[in-house]
Amino acid sequence: MSHSLFSLAFGVGTQNRQGTWLEVFYAHPLLNPDASLVGAIAPILGFSGGNQAITFSNQQAYQLADALKAVAPAQSALLNRLAESQKPLVATLLSEDAAPTSTPEAYLKLHLLSHRLVKPHGVNLSGIFPLLPNVAWTNIGAVDLGELGELQLEARLKGKLLEVFSVDKFPKMTDYVVPAGVRIADTARVRLGAYIGEGTTVMHEGFVNFNAGTQGPGMIEGRVSAGVFVGKGSDLGGGCSTMGTLSGGGNIVISVGEGCLIGANAGIGIPLGDRNIVEAGLYVTAGTKIALLDDQNNLVKVVKGRDLAGQPDLLFRRNSQSGAVECKTNKTAIELNEALHAHN
């Protein structure tokens, strides 16, 4: 058996009364773990290869901790803590980055994203939705919807309140990981599986979906949909400001270059190059017809949005009289970029 793995994590999670996994928390997931670590735990878990989620007992947790004491001290310490758990434990081992086949596998891949171990669309999430049960996220954790009513009554009879924060397939990221160097005004608006780069601020109305995020630093005041990855900051370390909607989806990655500004209620369906500006209220898609203007505002030609994808130093706007979508060279961005290069 090969001891080479794509990913490995030891977790503690929640199951319903039928033993079905509702969610899993992985404190320290690993990408491409050392072969010596895998070799040490394989006999204890009965792992013989492939992609598997293997439940293990508290006693096995102690055995795993002892086996990893010399080769992986941090994982050993984690397993000693897990051995004290009153909740079910699981070891998820992925020999390859294939489509997930279980809830623990799906949660591991979401953790890899939020722990910044892989970037959006850097891991196979095919078929993930059926593997994520729709649950009630409450003040006591994940609750199976079929068991919620009874638990609510039980709490009331004890003079307590079982508070339901949301009913969804995805939990909020910060219940599982808080990446270093970020600000998130409303944590409910960032899903587990989001990649939030260091230096990023997500304002109260900002939203970041799973398999999407920011390289950082940046400012998010709008919606970052799945498949979108926002580039690094602008100006003199200012930040990429996003107030509109960035829409990805499918196998498409909508990247946003460095130093971009997407105005309020604006949105894009194409990748943006560095230092682009999209005027407030304007939505630019691949099929949008765009009038290219020269420095004197004369029409050069009409192109589609996809023809301008990834091009730097552009200003997208809507003509207030004709309603036509126009594109000009973003002179301010060019001048500032030249000044920065001259300074460096």
Side-chain angles (χ1 to χ4, degrees):
M1 182 195 76
S2 171
H3 289 161
S4 174
L5 289 183
F6 169 71
S7 183
L8 162 69
F10 302 104
V12 55
T14 306
Q15 295 176 328
N16 64 12
R17 291 170 184 168
Q18 286 71 48
T20 301
W21 286 104
L22 301 181
E23 57 84 41
V24 183
F25 170 72
Y26 299 105
H28 302 299
L30 298 174
L31 188 68
N32 302 317
D34 190 88
S36 61
L37 186 159
V38 183
I41 66 172
I44 301 172
L45 293 173
F47 176 68
S48 58
N51 290 3
Q52 294 188 48
I54 303 172
T55 57
F56 61 96
S57 67
N58 297 67
Q59 183 59 41
Q60 286 176 304
Y62 282 121
Q63 295 173 355
L64 291 166
D66 188 62
L68 294 180
K69 191 177 297 182
V71 297
Q75 295 294 319
S76 176
L78 170 62
L79 283 158
N80 274 318
R81 296 300 308 278
L82 292 178
E84 305 169 3
S85 175
Q86 298 179 6
K87 303 280 283 185
L89 304 174
V90 63
T92 302
L93 304 93
L94 304 180
S95 293
E96 60 179 343
D97 180 23
T101 59
S102 68
T103 299
E105 288 181 41
Y107 265 82
L108 174 52
K109 293 199 168 184
L110 295 177
H111 276 72
L112 291 177
L113 283 157
S114 290
H115 277 270
R116 300 177 184 157
L117 295 174
V118 297
K119 292 182 178 179
H121 278 251
V123 66
N124 189 340
L125 298 178
S126 301
I128 193 172
F129 285 98
L131 301 174
L132 299 174
N134 193 32
V135 303
W137 301 100
T138 77
N139 57 318
I140 62 169
V143 174
D144 186 288
L145 292 177
E147 301 169 5
L148 179 61
E150 182 179 340
L151 290 175
Q152 286 176 318
L153 176 59
E154 185 178 313
R156 292 282 181 167
L157 294 175
K158 294 178 180 178
K160 299 179 181 180
L161 173 66
L162 178 60
E163 186 174 1
V164 178
F165 302 117
S166 68
V167 178
D168 195 6
K169 287 177 172 287
F170 290 84
K172 59 184 179 182
M173 181 190 73
T174 53
D175 283 348
Y176 293 80
V177 55
V178 179
V182 304
R183 293 170 54 205
I184 303 174
D186 184 350
T187 57
R189 299 183 66 83
V190 180
R191 279 176 155 180
L192 180 65
Y195 182 112
I196 309 298
E198 187 166 1
T200 296
T201 295
V202 183
M203 296 299 287
H204 291 82
E205 295 304 317
F207 173 82
V208 186
N209 209 340
F210 82 104
N211 207 25
T214 65
Q215 192 169 349
M219 175 78 74
I220 304 298
E221 296 184 77
R223 178 182 177 86
V224 181
S225 300
V228 175
F229 193 49
V230 181
K232 290 184 178 179
S234 64
D235 300 331
L236 302 174
C240 179
S241 178
T242 308
M243 294 177 281
T245 300
L246 287 72
S247 300
N251 294 317
I252 300 172
V253 180
I254 303 296
S255 60
V256 178
E258 298 183 11
C260 292
L261 171 62
I262 300 173
N265 299 315
I268 60 168
I270 61 169
L272 293 184
D274 296 341
R275 301 171 301 279
N276 278 208
I277 295 177
V278 180
E279 180 185 70
L282 177 62
Y283 206 109
V284 180
T285 68
T288 300
K289 292 184 178 180
I290 301 174
L292 288 181
L293 306 180
D294 61 20
D295 291 343
Q296 285 74 45
N297 291 325
N298 295 318
L299 177 65
V300 177
K301 62 177 177 178
V302 176
V303 298
K304 289 188 176 181
R306 64 173 62 91
D307 299 320
L308 300 175
Q311 297 300 310
D313 303 307
L314 298 179
L315 167 63
F316 295 90
R317 69 185 191 187
R318 187 178 294 280
N319 188 297
S320 60
Q321 293 182 321
S322 67
V325 179
E326 300 174 340
C327 179
K328 292 187 64 177
T329 299
N330 184 7
K331 283 188 175 182
T332 302
I334 294 175
E335 291 168 359
L336 180 56
N337 190 45
E338 291 174 348
L340 285 171
H341 283 295
H343 177 71
N344 293 332

